[in-house]
Short mmCIF file of all heavy atoms in Angstrom, two decimals:
data_model
loop_
_atom_site.label_atom_id
_atom_site.label_comp_id
_atom_site.label_asym_id
_atom_site.label_seq_id
_atom_site.Cartn_x
_atom_site.Cartn_y
_atom_site.Cartn_z
N LEU A 85 115.76 86.27 88.19
CA LEU A 85 115.68 84.93 89.03
C LEU A 85 116.56 83.96 88.44
O LEU A 85 117.38 83.31 89.15
CB LEU A 85 114.25 84.53 89.04
CG LEU A 85 114.08 83.23 89.92
CD1 LEU A 85 114.44 83.46 91.40
CD2 LEU A 85 112.51 82.79 89.86
N PHE A 86 116.59 83.85 87.05
CA PHE A 86 117.39 82.94 86.41
C PHE A 86 118.94 83.11 86.74
O PHE A 86 119.63 82.34 87.11
CB PHE A 86 117.22 82.85 84.93
CG PHE A 86 118.25 82.04 84.15
CD1 PHE A 86 118.11 80.73 84.16
CD2 PHE A 86 119.24 82.69 83.41
CE1 PHE A 86 118.99 79.87 83.44
CE2 PHE A 86 120.07 81.88 82.62
CZ PHE A 86 120.10 80.47 82.64
N PHE A 87 119.40 84.33 86.52
CA PHE A 87 120.76 84.67 86.75
C PHE A 87 121.20 84.63 88.19
O PHE A 87 122.39 84.24 88.51
CB PHE A 87 121.29 85.97 86.04
CG PHE A 87 121.35 85.81 84.54
CD1 PHE A 87 120.29 86.27 83.76
CD2 PHE A 87 122.33 85.10 83.98
CE1 PHE A 87 120.40 86.03 82.36
CE2 PHE A 87 122.45 84.89 82.62
CZ PHE A 87 121.47 85.38 81.83
N THR A 88 120.25 85.08 89.03
CA THR A 88 120.54 84.93 90.44
C THR A 88 120.75 83.42 90.85
O THR A 88 121.64 83.12 91.64
CB THR A 88 119.37 85.45 91.32
OG1 THR A 88 119.22 86.89 90.90
CG2 THR A 88 119.57 85.34 92.84
N GLU A 89 119.87 82.55 90.39
CA GLU A 89 120.03 81.12 90.81
C GLU A 89 121.17 80.42 90.19
O GLU A 89 121.91 79.65 90.87
CB GLU A 89 118.64 80.47 90.33
CG GLU A 89 117.49 80.68 91.13
CD GLU A 89 117.59 80.12 92.64
OE1 GLU A 89 118.18 79.13 92.83
OE2 GLU A 89 117.13 80.89 93.47
N VAL A 90 121.54 80.92 88.93
CA VAL A 90 122.64 80.24 88.28
C VAL A 90 123.95 80.76 88.99
O VAL A 90 124.86 79.93 89.17
CB VAL A 90 122.68 80.58 86.69
CG1 VAL A 90 124.01 80.10 86.15
CG2 VAL A 90 121.53 79.80 86.08
N MET A 91 124.02 81.97 89.28
CA MET A 91 125.28 82.49 89.88
C MET A 91 125.36 82.04 91.30
O MET A 91 126.50 81.66 91.75
CB MET A 91 125.20 84.10 89.91
CG MET A 91 125.26 84.70 88.56
SD MET A 91 126.59 84.18 87.56
CE MET A 91 128.07 84.95 88.29
N LYS A 92 124.29 81.73 92.01
CA LYS A 92 124.27 81.35 93.36
C LYS A 92 124.81 79.84 93.38
O LYS A 92 125.55 79.49 94.31
CB LYS A 92 122.84 81.32 93.92
CG LYS A 92 122.76 80.83 95.32
CD LYS A 92 121.37 81.15 95.87
CE LYS A 92 120.33 80.09 95.32
NZ LYS A 92 119.00 80.32 95.86
N ASP A 93 124.66 79.12 92.27
CA ASP A 93 125.06 77.75 92.27
C ASP A 93 126.37 77.46 91.57
O ASP A 93 126.77 76.36 91.25
CB ASP A 93 124.02 76.83 91.48
CG ASP A 93 122.69 76.69 92.30
OD1 ASP A 93 122.79 76.89 93.51
OD2 ASP A 93 121.62 76.49 91.69
N LYS A 94 127.18 78.58 91.39
CA LYS A 94 128.48 78.47 90.79
C LYS A 94 129.49 77.47 91.36
O LYS A 94 130.24 76.74 90.83
CB LYS A 94 129.29 79.78 90.74
CG LYS A 94 129.13 80.46 89.37
CD LYS A 94 129.97 81.73 89.38
CE LYS A 94 130.19 82.00 87.83
NZ LYS A 94 131.00 83.10 87.66
N LYS A 95 129.28 77.27 92.75
CA LYS A 95 130.14 76.37 93.43
C LYS A 95 129.50 74.98 93.61
O LYS A 95 130.21 73.98 94.09
CB LYS A 95 130.52 76.90 94.88
CG LYS A 95 131.35 78.20 94.80
CD LYS A 95 131.57 78.73 96.20
CE LYS A 95 132.33 80.11 95.99
NZ LYS A 95 132.52 80.68 97.17
N GLN A 96 128.34 74.92 93.05
CA GLN A 96 127.65 73.57 93.11
C GLN A 96 128.07 72.66 92.02
O GLN A 96 128.69 73.17 91.03
CB GLN A 96 126.09 73.73 92.98
CG GLN A 96 125.43 74.44 94.07
CD GLN A 96 125.44 73.60 95.32
OE1 GLN A 96 125.24 72.43 95.28
NE2 GLN A 96 125.52 74.26 96.50
N PRO A 97 127.85 71.35 92.06
CA PRO A 97 128.27 70.45 91.01
C PRO A 97 127.59 70.91 89.66
O PRO A 97 126.46 71.48 89.65
CB PRO A 97 127.80 69.14 91.45
CG PRO A 97 127.67 69.27 92.86
CD PRO A 97 127.34 70.65 93.21
N GLU A 98 128.25 70.46 88.62
CA GLU A 98 127.61 70.94 87.23
C GLU A 98 126.27 70.37 86.98
O GLU A 98 125.42 71.04 86.49
CB GLU A 98 128.60 70.46 86.11
CG GLU A 98 128.17 70.72 84.65
CD GLU A 98 128.20 72.23 84.45
OE1 GLU A 98 129.04 73.01 85.13
OE2 GLU A 98 127.51 72.66 83.52
N ALA A 99 125.97 69.29 87.59
CA ALA A 99 124.55 68.64 87.47
C ALA A 99 123.56 69.45 88.09
O ALA A 99 122.45 69.59 87.56
CB ALA A 99 124.58 67.26 87.94
N VAL A 100 123.92 70.05 89.15
CA VAL A 100 122.93 71.03 89.87
C VAL A 100 122.63 72.24 88.99
O VAL A 100 121.49 72.64 88.84
CB VAL A 100 123.38 71.30 91.25
CG1 VAL A 100 122.55 72.48 91.92
CG2 VAL A 100 123.49 70.17 92.23
N ARG A 101 123.69 72.92 88.56
CA ARG A 101 123.54 74.09 87.67
C ARG A 101 122.74 73.65 86.37
O ARG A 101 121.89 74.45 86.05
CB ARG A 101 124.80 74.65 87.28
CG ARG A 101 125.62 75.19 88.60
CD ARG A 101 126.83 75.93 88.12
NE ARG A 101 126.59 77.14 87.34
CZ ARG A 101 127.29 77.45 86.27
NH1 ARG A 101 128.22 76.73 85.72
NH2 ARG A 101 126.87 78.52 85.57
N LYS A 102 123.04 72.60 85.79
CA LYS A 102 122.45 72.10 84.55
C LYS A 102 120.84 71.90 84.83
O LYS A 102 120.02 72.33 84.05
CB LYS A 102 123.06 70.81 84.04
CG LYS A 102 122.69 70.55 82.68
CD LYS A 102 123.57 69.39 82.22
CE LYS A 102 123.81 69.46 80.78
NZ LYS A 102 124.69 68.39 80.24
N ASN A 103 120.53 71.31 85.98
CA ASN A 103 119.19 71.15 86.31
C ASN A 103 118.36 72.42 86.49
O ASN A 103 117.23 72.51 86.08
CB ASN A 103 118.98 70.24 87.59
CG ASN A 103 119.26 68.80 87.26
OD1 ASN A 103 119.14 68.33 86.21
ND2 ASN A 103 119.55 68.10 88.35
N LYS A 104 118.98 73.43 87.05
CA LYS A 104 118.43 74.70 87.26
C LYS A 104 118.22 75.38 85.86
O LYS A 104 117.12 75.92 85.60
CB LYS A 104 119.22 75.58 88.10
CG LYS A 104 119.09 75.25 89.57
CD LYS A 104 118.78 76.21 90.48
CE LYS A 104 118.67 75.77 91.88
NZ LYS A 104 119.29 76.69 92.80
N ILE A 105 119.19 75.27 84.97
CA ILE A 105 119.05 75.90 83.65
C ILE A 105 117.88 75.19 82.92
O ILE A 105 117.10 75.87 82.28
CB ILE A 105 120.37 75.68 82.87
CG1 ILE A 105 121.45 76.63 83.49
CG2 ILE A 105 120.16 76.15 81.45
CD1 ILE A 105 122.84 76.42 82.95
N LEU A 106 117.74 73.92 82.99
CA LEU A 106 116.70 73.19 82.38
C LEU A 106 115.35 73.49 82.95
O LEU A 106 114.34 73.63 82.29
CB LEU A 106 116.90 71.63 82.48
CG LEU A 106 118.07 71.15 81.56
CD1 LEU A 106 118.32 69.65 81.89
CD2 LEU A 106 117.75 71.29 80.11
N LEU A 107 115.29 73.73 84.23
CA LEU A 107 114.12 74.22 84.93
C LEU A 107 113.50 75.42 84.31
O LEU A 107 112.41 75.47 84.10
CB LEU A 107 114.38 74.35 86.46
CG LEU A 107 113.34 74.74 87.34
CD1 LEU A 107 113.46 74.21 88.76
CD2 LEU A 107 113.17 76.21 87.40
N PHE A 108 114.49 76.46 84.05
CA PHE A 108 114.06 77.75 83.48
C PHE A 108 113.73 77.56 81.99
O PHE A 108 112.73 78.08 81.52
CB PHE A 108 115.15 78.75 83.73
CG PHE A 108 115.14 79.34 85.12
CD1 PHE A 108 115.88 78.79 86.11
CD2 PHE A 108 114.39 80.39 85.40
CE1 PHE A 108 115.86 79.35 87.41
CE2 PHE A 108 114.33 81.08 86.67
CZ PHE A 108 115.17 80.42 87.61
N MET A 109 114.40 76.70 81.28
CA MET A 109 114.12 76.44 79.85
C MET A 109 112.79 75.86 79.77
O MET A 109 112.02 76.33 78.97
CB MET A 109 115.18 75.57 79.25
CG MET A 109 116.61 76.17 79.00
SD MET A 109 117.77 74.91 78.43
CE MET A 109 117.08 74.41 76.88
N ASN A 110 112.52 74.86 80.53
CA ASN A 110 111.17 74.12 80.48
C ASN A 110 110.01 75.15 80.90
O ASN A 110 109.02 75.15 80.38
CB ASN A 110 111.19 72.94 81.45
CG ASN A 110 112.01 71.85 80.81
OD1 ASN A 110 112.26 71.81 79.55
ND2 ASN A 110 112.41 70.96 81.73
N ALA A 111 110.37 76.06 81.83
CA ALA A 111 109.26 77.05 82.34
C ALA A 111 109.00 77.86 81.11
O ALA A 111 107.81 78.24 80.92
CB ALA A 111 109.85 77.87 83.49
N SER A 112 109.91 78.32 80.32
CA SER A 112 109.65 79.16 79.13
C SER A 112 108.91 78.36 78.03
O SER A 112 107.97 78.84 77.44
CB SER A 112 110.90 79.89 78.62
OG SER A 112 111.69 79.00 77.87
N VAL A 113 109.37 77.08 77.73
CA VAL A 113 108.76 76.33 76.71
C VAL A 113 107.35 75.85 77.07
O VAL A 113 106.52 75.87 76.23
CB VAL A 113 109.63 75.08 76.36
CG1 VAL A 113 109.02 74.15 75.39
CG2 VAL A 113 111.01 75.57 75.79
N MET A 114 107.21 75.50 78.31
CA MET A 114 105.83 74.97 78.66
C MET A 114 104.70 75.96 79.02
O MET A 114 103.65 75.51 79.32
CB MET A 114 106.08 74.01 79.96
CG MET A 114 107.10 72.88 79.66
SD MET A 114 106.70 71.88 78.24
CE MET A 114 105.49 70.87 78.86
#
Side-chain angles (χ1 to χ4, degrees):
L85 183 61
F86 172 72
F87 285 105
T88 299
E89 288 295 324
V90 170
M91 295 307 289
K92 183 170 75 175
D93 288 341
K94 260 191 161 177
K95 295 178 183 175
Q96 294 289 327
E98 184 65 24
V100 172
R101 291 183 72 227
K102 197 174 212 175
N103 282 340
K104 288 230 177 134
I105 292 169
L106 288 173
L107 178 150
F108 281 90
M109 285 175 64
N110 288 336
S112 79
V113 171
M114 301 308 280

